[in-house]
Structures are given as structure tokens and as C-alpha cells.
Amino acid sequence: MEIQPHSVSDHFKLWSELELHEFQHKFVIKAVESPDQGFSIRRSDGTIEPLNGDDASTNSIRVSTIYGVVGTIRSLAGTHVLVITSRKEVGSYVGFPVFRVMALKFLSCNEALRLPNNQGKRDEAYFRTLLRVIESTPGLYYSYETDITLSLQRRFKLTEGRMSKPIWKQADPRFVWNRNILEELIENKLDGFIIPLLQGNILNLFIPCLSFQTGQLKLKTSPATIILISRRCTRRLGTRMWRRGANLEGDTANFIETEQLLEFEGFKSSLLQIRGSIPLIWEQIVDLSYKPRLNVIAHEETSKVVERHFHDIVQRYGETIAVDLTDKHGDEGQLSAAFAAEMQKLPNVRYVSFDFHHHCGKSNLENIQVLYDQVSEDFEKQGYFLVDAEGKILSEQKGIIRSNCIDCLDRTNVTQSYLAQKSLDAQLQRLGELSSMECISISNEDFEIFKTLWVEQGDEISLEYAGTHALKRDLVRYGKQTMAGLIEDGLSSISRYFLNNFQDGIRQDAMDLISGRYTVNINNPSPFRQNGFESFSYLPVASALLIGGLTATSITLNQAGRNAQSFLSSIICASATAGMMALVKANGRQFCSRPRLCGLL
């Protein structure tokens, strides 16, 4: 029996509010608007079945409201169904409401299944930890009435009738965070319940009045809406230190498509930009040092990896400009030089190297104009997408700028916001709201809204990848670094250090599980058997010894002046503490949290 969706005349619509009935032997999920539409999940084995006339809900143990079914995932002890328990409407996209996931919850089946040995029980406990990490995933968005994974330009160029297809079939699979865990719902033809989730950022701000004064003091007023959407690719999903560079297929870490949309007097315009890690095979393994060494891996497939990456971009977006914002000295310089060397082999992609820290360091953000001067001609030729109130296409974006730094976060955010501002000025000039000599920055209120939009976007995508807010936020907001901004950056850097060294291994495992890079199979050997010592067991011991050694050294130093024995004790304590610190530093990688399910590639 096929579950029927909530049909609308010209587009597909998902059920937006569901009832979850919990029975002793099954879960039943029904559409509130149409109680005969739904399905059940056996608690004994996780089997999904469409509802039939015998599914009475009067004897349920508990009834609650949920707002969507995200998918199913398996652990050693059974099946788990992920549902949305809280949501928040954050704006709209092409006229349809968009929601942010505020809370997720796994419904567990097969809980009575007995695992054969203690290793299996330990493994299952770790998988349960990963499920809790997945429940706290930030930055997930969706719509019940439209696909939000496609850019405005792609939507307008699709064939007629596509909007009537199930939303999961409309979506770009690159940007569907839960694509891997939808399979059972798809197999059971539950189209009206299948919600593609986008991880990234959606900000929707209404500018009540774009009010500017010209030389003639002629006031022009008109409402406008700016929408900023960032779409994270799931092909190389991961955390900051455990997913760097590219895999052998050419997919890069932290690859994000960002779209800035403007709605003004019935017109809609769109600018696309992309970011992604340098598409070489390289790593930066945490080892307790503040800035671990970068290591470019010499691989026979490197040139093909770069070629595959940019071939995919050119096929999707057109003419491509690769803007490399990394330093030209030290480890970054070696990585940048290797990237530049590979780009020389690609005549159809323009490569622009711009040492951001050299040009724009010490609050010299105005020097980013040096970069713009290099790319402005091609950037303006690439243009932007524009349609009128009747849906007639007036112009198309014919290319893309791909920006990267090392993390593709902070320097990249500043650069993309600058390019977006330049494009917004051009769009408003074409629509007659600005003269050819005006720009949005002449209105302090509206320019502040624009900058806030980009600061918040940078924060959210940084939280998803690095675990903290973005750095250099004040460069976007104020055009210079402030003392408060430096303090915020310092605190965020400390947080990044702690997360990268002591938590991101677990986060990476959770991402590998949800993205399908690792599949749980009870017949496979345990992935958690350690050949060496276990970092989580030894780190607390090492920390306690270091703290104890420092404390003992401090106490004996205070007493050193009293007698020779106290002085000798202080030397012994200090030497032992120094030795322990040297041992920990030499084995830094072993003391850090590291992923256990999948390799770096």
C-alpha cells in the first residue's frame, strides 16, 4: 500500500504535524491532518509497515506530537528511528515557510536483543553515544512545501512538473544531510513523510526600507528582503581537523554553496559562491600542539583528484575562479605552492593567489580591494541570476568564485561577504534603487543588516565544522579588528583547541555513521579494538600526574630556602614533571580524541 502525500495543485507538500503513538510492541506515526495516512514500526525488529484498518490507537501507552521523520539507522542492538520533536519557523524560500530543527530524538527498537559478548556491549554503548551526538547536530533546515537544496537559478531551469514530484526526488543529493538514512522510508514509498534536511544556514531578513539620498536629495523608498542560504555538501562530511583536503573522488571537506537572494518589487536575484578545502590529499592531525603541522601527502592520484574536483565544479557552475587566501610562508605556504602547481595543469580554471594575512592583517581590510581588482572583470562577467515578477529570466549567473583558506571559515567568510556586497550593489543599481555611483554602505542601517547577516552565517557554518563561532567577525561587521573582537577570537581559539584535541574524534565518528561512510554490521569485527593504548584511559591519568607534579613542585619550591632536602625535593619534582610533559608532548597524538570508524580518506 502506498502512502498518499498531502496533494496541492501545483506542488508536493509533506505532512507537517504528526502524532506518535507508542505501544508495547510498536510505534505508530500518523498525519494529524489525515489520520488514515501513516505507518507503524515494530519494536521487535524495526520493520516499517503502512497503516491498515486494524491499527487502532486507543490503547497506546503514550501519544505525542512530532514534526517529521528524519530516517532510520542501525546499531548492533537494533534499529533507531530519528524524529523531529521541536522546530522553529525561521523565514521563507520562494514563498514557502522554512523551519529549523530545534530538537531530535531517536526511537529505539530491538532493545531486548542480547549481544553475544562484553566487546559487543562496549561497542553498542559507544554507538549509543554517537546517536546522542547526532541528536545534537546543529544547523538543520527543511521545508514541508519546497526543496531548499536547489539554487534559484536551477529551480527556474528545471522542467515543468518537477515541483509535483516528492520533495526528496527534487533535492540535490549532495546537500541532503539525511540522505543515507532515508532508504527504508523510500523503499516503503512513504513520500509524504520523507523530509530532506539541509545542513548549513538560512537567514531571512526583511529590510523595511532601502532609503538613500542622492545628490538631488531625492528620497527613494521600497521594501526588500535579503535571504542567505548556505548548503553543506555531505560527500566529505566531517570536523575541522579530521576532514581536510579531498578524497580520491575529488570531494573536499567543508564544501559549502552559499546563495544570497534579493527580493525587491517583485524581482528576485541570486548570487552563488562556493568554498571548500584545498583539493589536494593533505592532513593536519591533532597532537596537543596549538597549531599542528600540515602534511601534504604525495599520492599518485593527486593530479587526477584536483582534475575531478574542478571538472565537477565547472560542469555544475560554469567558468570557475579559484581564490586561494592562504599564507605564502610556513606550512601554509608549502600547501599553497602545491595547490598552485596543480592548478597550472588546469587551463580551464583561473587560479588567483591572495595572501589574506599579508594584505589585510592589522585591520587593513580595505586592502581586500587588491583582490577584487584582480577578479572584478571576470566576476562581473559571471553576473548573477535575475527574474522579474512574471518569472521571466532577465540574466543568468555564468560562473562561480570558489574561495578557500585553510579551514574555509574565517578568511573565506570575510572575502565572500565582500564579493556579495559588490554584487548586491550591482543588482540594486540595475533595478534602479541605486545610482551607478551609490552602494548599500551609504545607508548605515541597511548596511548593518547586511553585515549582521554574513556574521551570523559565518558563525553557524563555523559551529558545524569547528565547533565554535567564526573568527574575524569584527572584520565583517566593522571593517577592522577591535579589542572586543580580539578577546572573542582568543576565547574561540581556546575552545577550538579543546574541541579539536579532546572531542572531535567522537563527532567525526557520528558524522561517518550518519553519512553512511561506516555501516554497522554485527557480523563484522569490532572497529574499536585498539592495538596501542587507549587515549581516553590514559589522558586522565597523565593529566592527574602533571597537575600533581606541578603542585608538588610549587610546594617544595616554597620550602626550598629552609633546608637542602627541600631544595633537592623540588628539583626531583620539577624533573619528574618536565619528563612527564615531554612524554605527553612526544606522544601527543595518542592522547587526543580521534575517530575510530573510518580513515582520513
Side-chain angles (χ1 to χ4, degrees):
M1 176 182 176
E2 183 172 346
I3 298 296
Q4 297 299 316
H6 183 20
S7 60
V8 181
S9 58
D10 60 345
H11 68 277
F12 193 97
K13 184 179 179 182
L14 301 171
W15 301 112
S16 59
E17 193 169 323
L18 309 174
E19 279 188 351
L20 169 64
H21 295 260
E22 300 181 38
F23 295 87
Q24 184 177 358
H25 300 297
K26 65 181 177 180
F27 296 107
V28 173
I29 295 174
K30 296 183 175 184
V32 171
E33 298 172 69
S34 182
D36 62 324
Q37 296 295 313
F39 58 96
S40 64
I41 308 156
R42 287 187 208 159
R43 300 184 81 155
S44 60
D45 58 9
T47 299
I48 294 176
E49 297 175 330
L51 291 184
N52 55 52
D54 299 329
D55 289 292
S57 301
T58 55
N59 299 320
S60 55
I61 300 171
R62 187 182 299 107
V63 180
S64 56
T65 300
I66 60 174
Y67 302 99
V69 181
V70 177
T72 63
I73 194 167
R74 296 187 181 277
S75 67
L76 293 175
T79 300
H80 309 270
V81 183
L82 186 59
V83 298
I84 300 170
T85 57
S86 180
R87 69 185 179 189
K88 178 182 179 182
E89 187 172 347
V90 293
S92 65
Y93 180 57
V94 294
F96 299 111
V98 174
F99 296 85
R100 176 173 180 163
V101 175
M102 303 304 293
L104 295 168
K105 178 184 178 182
F106 275 107
L107 308 176
S108 297
C109 305
N110 308 35
E111 289 186 313
L113 180 66
R114 295 182 180 276
L115 295 170
N117 52 50
N118 290 333
Q119 182 64 50
K121 293 176 182 178
R122 287 194 296 269
D123 292 355
E124 177 63 16
Y126 186 76
F127 284 128
R128 292 298 182 102
T129 299
L130 300 186
L131 296 183
R132 289 192 292 272
V133 173
I134 291 170
E135 287 178 334
S136 63
T137 300
L140 298 176
Y141 297 84
Y142 67 97
S143 174
Y144 296 107
E145 300 184 59
T146 192
D147 168 43
I148 59 176
T149 66
L150 298 182
S151 67
L152 191 66
Q153 180 164 316
R154 286 188 66 189
R155 289 176 64 93
F156 270 83
K157 300 188 76 173
L158 291 174
T159 57
E160 286 189 29
R162 185 180 177 92
M163 292 288 288
S164 63
K165 293 183 178 181
I167 291 179
W168 71 267
K169 290 184 178 180
Q170 301 176 34
D172 185 336
R174 294 180 301 159
F175 303 128
V176 179
W177 176 81
N178 56 326
R179 181 65 181 84
N180 176 66
I181 62 174
L182 291 174
E183 291 300 329
E184 291 194 53
L185 300 178
I186 293 172
E187 288 175 6
N188 284 276
K189 300 180 180 180
L190 299 171
D191 292 339
F193 295 88
I194 299 174
I195 298 181
L197 295 184
L198 167 75
Q199 187 180 39
N201 175 266
I202 297 180
L203 291 172
N204 187 315
L205 291 179
F206 179 70
I207 302 179
C209 176
L210 281 173
S211 174
F212 301 107
Q213 294 181 347
T214 66
Q216 293 80 27
L217 300 179
K218 180 182 178 181
L219 188 65
K220 297 185 286 185
T221 63
S222 189
T225 300
I226 294 179
I227 304 168
L228 201 58
I229 302 177
S230 290
R231 305 175 175 101
R232 179 179 298 281
C233 181
T234 62
R235 289 178 174 175
R236 191 158 168 74
L237 194 64
T239 59
R240 176 174 173 249
M241 288 301 190
W242 292 111
R243 284 296 174 267
R244 295 293 210 187
N247 59 21
L248 295 180
E249 287 73 40
D251 306 313
T252 60
N254 205 25
F255 185 92
I256 297 173
E257 175 189 277
T258 297
E259 181 176 22
Q260 178 179 279
L261 297 107
L262 172 70
E263 297 178 356
F264 176 77
E265 293 185 344
F267 291 88
K268 292 184 176 68
S269 59
S270 160
L271 172 73
L272 281 179
Q273 299 184 72
I274 56 176
R275 69 177 74 193
S277 190
I278 290 178
L280 305 178
I281 300 174
W282 60 282
E283 63 184 11
Q284 190 176 18
I285 306 299
V286 289
D287 59 1
L288 297 182
S289 62
Y290 177 72
K291 193 172 183 179
R293 295 294 304 270
L294 297 174
N295 178 35
V296 181
I297 300 172
H299 197 286
E300 60 182 9
E301 290 283 309
T302 293
S303 295
K304 291 182 179 179
V305 166
V306 177
E307 183 181 354
R308 289 170 190 143
H309 176 74
F310 281 101
H311 175 77
D312 182 63
I313 290 177
V314 172
Q315 289 291 107
R316 293 179 184 277
Y317 300 103
E319 176 186 302
T320 302
I321 304 172
V323 175
D324 180 13
L325 303 168
T326 55
D327 297 347
K328 297 301 171 276
H329 59 273
D331 285 356
E332 283 194 25
Q334 294 178 22
L335 180 60
S336 178
F339 185 27
E342 292 297 335
M343 294 304 294
Q344 296 298 318
K345 304 173 186 177
L346 300 179
N348 62 330
V349 178
R350 184 185 171 195
Y351 172 77
V352 177
S353 178
F354 180 79
D355 188 333
F356 185 95
H357 286 149
H358 174 73
H359 289 282
C360 301
K362 300 179 181 178
S363 298
N364 294 319
L365 183 60
E366 65 275 4
N367 289 341
I368 201 170
Q369 182 67 39
V370 175
L371 169 62
Y372 188 73
D373 290 342
Q374 294 182 60
V375 302
S376 59
E377 183 177 351
D378 288 337
F379 180 59
E380 290 164 11
K381 284 181 181 178
Q382 289 179 357
Y384 47 84
F385 182 69
L386 177 66
V387 294
D388 63 17
E390 286 73 42
K392 180 182 178 182
I393 297 176
L394 303 180
S395 68
E396 296 182 29
Q397 185 171 342
K398 300 180 178 65
I400 198 84
I401 287 189
R402 180 202 189 277
S403 303
N404 73 264
C405 46
I406 291 297
D407 298 328
C408 303
L409 294 176
D410 313 317
R411 288 170 278 184
T412 301
N413 291 336
V414 176
T415 302
Q416 287 197 340
S417 67
Y418 187 85
L419 295 172
Q421 178 193 338
K422 291 292 187 181
S423 181
L424 181 61
D425 290 341
Q427 294 165 35
L428 291 172
Q429 289 166 5
R430 177 168 179 173
L431 296 174
E433 185 64 19
L434 297 177
S435 74
S436 60
M437 302 300 293
E438 291 176 325
C439 58
I440 190 176
S441 61
I442 66 174
S443 170
N444 290 334
E445 182 179 354
D446 298 330
F447 193 38
E448 185 64 28
I449 290 174
F450 171 84
K451 291 186 292 185
T452 298
L453 201 69
W454 276 90
V455 168
E456 293 182 358
Q457 181 256 9
D459 277 347
E460 187 148 9
I461 61 177
S462 179
L463 280 168
E464 295 161 9
Y465 187 54
T468 71
H469 286 154
L471 309 184
K472 300 179 174 63
R473 303 165 76 236
D474 48 350
L475 282 181
V476 177
R477 191 183 291 276
Y478 307 115
K480 62 181 181 179
Q481 284 203 301
T482 63
M483 181 56 67
L486 288 172
I487 293 173
E488 286 182 0
D489 286 356
L491 293 174
S492 291
S493 295
I494 293 171
S495 295
R496 282 187 184 181
Y497 173 84
F498 177 81
L499 293 171
N500 296 163
N501 280 276
F502 304 120
Q503 291 191 1
D504 278 358
I506 294 176
R507 288 181 61 219
Q508 184 61 57
D509 280 342
M511 293 181 189
D512 287 335
L513 188 62
I514 197 72
S515 63
R517 290 195 73 240
Y518 182 84
T519 302
V520 178
N521 189 329
I522 197 169
N523 296 318
N524 289 342
S526 169
F528 307 123
R529 295 184 185 276
Q530 302 292 323
N531 293 323
F533 65 84
E534 173 54 60
S535 61
F536 292 102
S537 301
Y538 281 77
L539 182 59
V541 175
S543 300
L545 289 174
L546 285 175
I547 294 171
L550 290 171
T551 303
T553 301
S554 176
I555 293 173
T556 54
L557 280 174
N558 288 333
Q559 299 175 347
R562 299 178 183 178
N563 54 61
Q565 185 177 358
S566 296
F567 181 72
L568 181 61
S569 297
S570 65
I571 292 177
I572 294 173
C573 288
S575 299
T577 303
M580 178 60 70
M581 292 178 68
L583 177 64
V584 170
K585 187 176 186 305
N587 295 276
R589 292 190 179 188
Q590 303 301 324
F591 287 97
C592 295
S593 170
R594 57 189 183 274
R596 310 180 197 177
L597 299 183
C598 298
L600 294 177
L601 291 180

